[in-house]
Amino acid sequence: MARIAIFGAGYVGLVTGACFAKLGHTVVIRDVVPEKVARLQAGEVPIYEPGLRELIDECRDRISFTLDLDDVVKDAEFLYLAVPTPEGELGDANLQYVWEVIEELPEGLPGRPVVVMKSTVPVGTGARARARLDARGLTSYGYVSNPEFLAEGNAIDDFMKPDRVVVGAVDPEDGKRVLDLYDGVDTEHLIEIDVESAELVKLAANAMLATRISFINEIARICERVNADVTKVAYGMGLDKRVGEFFLKAGVGYGGSCFPKDVKALETLAKNDADYTFRILAAVQEVNRLQKLLAVEKLGQRLGDLRGRTVALLGLAFKPETNDMREAPSEVIARALIDGGATVRGWDPEADSDAIPGIERCATPLEAVTGADAAVIVTDWKELKSIATAEVRDAMARPLIIDGRNLLDPEAVAAAGFEYEAIGRPTKATPVAVS
Ligand code: UDX
Ligand code: UDX
């Protein structure tokens, strides 16, 4: 079993650390935010990810947290980087935190410590990191790219039962050692490729998934105009094994810490480093930008002027089973509604109470919809599946639901007396009074 150091106690660092500890390794996670480290040391887990708290508790004797560089690197055989790589000003990834860690790695660690990149980085970062390690005299340190493919809400399963584990190593022996760390995970594919290809697998996979979402969102736009149902179209498409069923859910657009920035990063990388215009990715992003505003358009069509209206946003996190608000469509929708003069209320079981400034935060969906002119399902939390009740209908000033995730059954919602509109699904015409 190995001694693993992890830099960054965020979503990726914590899940990676807890899972390696579960596999039997000894893990020390270092973060630079004192409050976060103090909470982790006290047994709290600062993010919501199903099963993570339990897993960290279970592995307490093999996982620890520190602010201190010496603590984290002491006896470490592997130095994992899980620090953020946010979008930079020019659309490229900002690698400031990555370079900070590379610069502070001490000389003289015994054996052959391997620096492992978990953070998503542009192609070429590995080569630059190798050069920097060499320039600092850390020639005995290995370098391996080992991209993460953890989807929030399902991250522990994604680690323990991954479709694949990918490593790209400058020295193949180092790559083999990193793959050995995964002994015990349930997968058929532990693959070792070159560093550049490993770096590109991550960006290309996320860009492909984002492309599928924008594609189905455009199909949804067509469905609305030709009276087809995008959920049925996606079902029929997905049964073709070459297409596959996943990532074909139309909705209010993709968000999160990865897709928006990775699509942008790949587009920018293509332009700057490969002198190539990645045309599809420009369209993917434009479709997503417009898709985040679709619910607002639909509200405008139904309610007319939004000034003085009250709208309840049901679900704020960028997807269910997480408290993560990064690039959440709810923020864009809330901002557009507030700019249009509406009062916005929000409910979410996990997002922080101040997740979106300027909205009224409510403790229950019922409280959020009470007296509202409309409710928008923004995040497909399972709690919302049963929202279309008589109690909710009667509590609303106007029982209008815009279902941004196609979560509800249109027939049942209409039968319960709601005015209802989904994304890319036929909408029963509101009965016109005949005088
Ligand atoms: C990760 C990846 O690392 C990123 O590249 C990937 O594309 C998305 O997922 P994530 O774990 O989601 O990032 O980020 P975050 O939850 O922000 O956690 C990063 C942690 O690193 C934070 O706790 C932050 O305090 C810490 N940090 C930041 C450091 O420890 N050192 C630094 O220099 C900067
Ligand atoms: C993603 C990747 O799936 C993961 O492999 C990578 O390492 C990190 O980025 P994550 O961002 O946590 O994971 O969530 P994901 O489940 O991929 O969803 C991303 C966004 O796409 C969410 O806003 C979600 O609501 C949206 N989405 C997803 C759709 O709109 N339709 C779909 O069919 C699937």
Side-chain angles (χ1 to χ4, degrees), residues 104-416:
E104 67 184 354
L105 291 178
E107 293 169 41
L109 291 181
R112 183 171 171 82
V114 181
V115 177
V116 193
M117 188 64 72
K118 251 303 163 203
S119 300
T120 305
V121 292
V123 182
T125 305
R128 285 198 282 279
R130 177 70 272 166
R132 189 58 207 145
L133 291 171
D134 291 345
R136 288 199 50 218
L138 306 183
T139 47
S140 65
Y141 290 33
Y143 182 90
V144 171
S145 162
N146 176 206
E148 55 91 8
F149 303 106
L150 308 175
E152 286 173 29
N154 198 49
I156 291 172
D157 254 15
D158 285 343
F159 189 101
M160 289 300 189
K161 295 181 229 164
D163 290 341
R164 78 298 204 195
V165 174
V166 176
V167 305
V170 175
D171 179 333
E173 271 307 304
D174 296 330
K176 192 174 168 316
R177 282 177 60 205
V178 172
L179 286 182
D180 286 346
L181 294 176
Y182 288 87
D183 198 18
V185 306
D186 181 6
T187 186
E188 287 174 21
H189 303 288
L190 293 163
I191 67 168
E192 179 165 357
I193 53 184
D194 60 280
V195 177
E196 285 74 13
S197 301
E199 290 168 342
L200 195 50
V201 165
K202 169 65 194 256
L203 292 176
N206 273 355
M208 178 71 209
L209 293 170
T211 301
R212 283 173 69 96
I213 297 170
S214 279
F215 182 86
I216 201 69
N217 280 335
E218 290 213 284
I219 295 287
R221 298 274 183 157
I222 306 295
C223 285
E224 291 187 0
R225 289 165 174 78
V226 300
N227 212 30
D229 183 332
V230 71
T231 63
K232 294 176 186 160
V233 176
Y235 175 59
M237 286 167 66
L239 289 174
D240 184 329
K241 288 197 185 65
R242 295 168 303 175
V243 175
E245 67 184 297
F246 297 105
F247 279 75
L248 286 181
K249 279 203 214 122
V252 289
Y254 61 77
S257 70
C258 285
F259 286 177
K261 89 172 161 56
D262 290 352
V263 172
K264 186 84 200 152
L266 182 52
E267 184 191 32
T268 308
L269 176 103
K271 193 157 162 236
N272 293 351
D273 298 350
D275 191 22
Y276 182 76
T277 305
F278 206 139
R279 293 169 184 81
I280 289 174
L281 295 187
V284 166
Q285 293 169 92
E286 178 62 0
V287 170
N288 198 54
R289 187 183 70 76
L290 295 171
Q291 201 69 14
K292 287 185 175 183
L293 293 167
L294 183 57
V296 181
E297 261 174 58
K298 287 177 185 286
L299 286 170
Q301 284 157 10
R302 298 265 173 175
L303 299 176
D305 192 348
L306 292 173
R307 262 175 298 181
R309 306 284 190 182
T310 298
V311 178
L313 300 186
L314 302 179
L316 302 175
F318 85 98
K319 63 184 262 190
E321 299 305 328
T322 181
N323 61 340
D324 198 342
M325 286 294 298
R326 287 178 283 185
E327 303 281 339
S330 61
E331 279 191 308
V332 177
I333 297 170
R335 209 177 316 122
L337 291 173
I338 291 169
D339 289 349
T343 299
V344 181
R345 300 210 195 117
W347 168 83
D348 192 283
E350 295 297 339
D352 287 347
S353 56
D354 57 355
I356 304 180
I359 72 168
E360 287 170 27
R361 191 59 184 274
C362 300
T364 63
L366 181 62
E367 187 188 331
V369 301
T370 299
D373 298 292
V376 182
I377 297 178
V378 186
T379 313
D380 33 353
W381 284 102
K382 56 181 178 314
E383 291 89 326
L384 296 174
K385 280 195 180 145
S386 54
I387 188 79
T389 60
E391 192 184 21
V392 165
R393 182 196 62 212
D394 294 343
M396 295 181 75
R398 178 169 171 173
L400 166 60
I401 296 179
I402 305 290
D403 184 353
R405 295 290 182 177
N406 292 343
L407 190 66
L408 309 181
D409 171 9
E411 302 279 322
V413 182

Side-chain angles (χ1 to χ4, degrees), residues 7-13 30-33 36 82-85 97 100 119-120 148 202 257-258 261-262 326:
F7 292 83
Y11 286 86
V12 173
R30 187 259 193 145
D31 203 282
V32 294
V33 177
K36 193 176 272 193
V83 290
T85 50
Y97 305 120
E100 276 172 20
S119 300
T120 305
E148 55 91 8
K202 169 65 194 256
S257 70
C258 285
K261 89 172 161 56
D262 290 352
R326 287 178 283 185

